[in-house]
Amino acid sequence: MDALLRLQHAEEQQLDNARSESGLTKNEFLAVRYMLQARRDGRAMGPKDLAVMLNVSNASVTKIVDGLVVKGDFVRSAHPTDRRAQVLEPTVQAAQKIDESYARFHEAVVEVVDHLSREDNEVLARVLSSVVQALTGGAPAPVDEYTIEEPAPAGS
């Protein structure tokens, strides 16, 4: 149990360092992650949705969104059915910031796991899968929650 807690702490520390290096505030970082997840799920989200996800006021979310638009991490567009509402979209640049934030942690984990014997790797996979199943009640994990693919060229 101690090893799992130390892993969790190391991950939190690494992500906090990466978030700082990305130049994003904590709420901006979370906003980008939420928007990338929504995009992956095919859900349109606007500032009101983001305010709920971040548990902040409308004024605070406006400031967060304005900052992310200026930085080139979000673009605003008109809602397709409600002319009073906006839809927010994360940019490829925003996805890259998140990917880079997680890269060092993922590289370190892969480096260690790659050097395990096949048997140790199977034991680790079985134990971690059991922990995940106990924590999620067996709900499937997202495949790749932060990647934005470039749009396909027209006509392809």
Side-chain angles (χ1 to χ4, degrees), residues 23-25 27-29 31-32 50 59-76 88 93 97:
L24 298 174
T25 67
N27 277 339
E28 288 173 335
F29 190 81
V32 171
L50 206 48
S60 292
V61 85
T62 297
K63 184 176 178 183
I64 292 166
V65 169
D66 287 348
L68 290 168
V69 169
V70 167
K71 291 177 184 178
D73 294 322
F74 279 3
V75 290
R76 288 184 175 106
L88 300 172
Q93 170 186 297
K97 284 183 182 180

Side-chain angles (χ1 to χ4, degrees), residues 49-125:
D49 302 305
L50 206 48
V52 171
M53 297 295 292
L54 295 172
N55 195 28
V56 298
S57 69
N58 288 338
S60 292
V61 85
T62 297
K63 184 176 178 183
I64 292 166
V65 169
D66 287 348
L68 290 168
V69 169
V70 167
K71 291 177 184 178
D73 294 322
F74 279 3
V75 290
R76 288 184 175 106
S77 59
H79 192 281
T81 59
D82 182 354
R83 63 187 172 110
R84 297 167 297 162
Q86 295 179 355
V87 174
L88 300 172
E89 285 287 328
T91 63
V92 171
Q93 170 186 297
Q96 288 171 337
K97 284 183 182 180
I98 298 300
D99 287 346
E100 289 168 7
S101 297
Y102 286 93
R104 184 170 166 204
F105 177 80
H106 290 164
E107 288 168 5
V109 171
V110 168
E111 176 68 24
V112 170
V113 171
D114 277 353
H115 288 90
L116 293 177
S117 68
R118 183 172 170 256
E119 293 80 17
D120 285 347
N121 211 327
E122 288 171 359
V123 169
L124 178 62

Side-chain angles (χ1 to χ4, degrees), residues 151-156:
S156 59

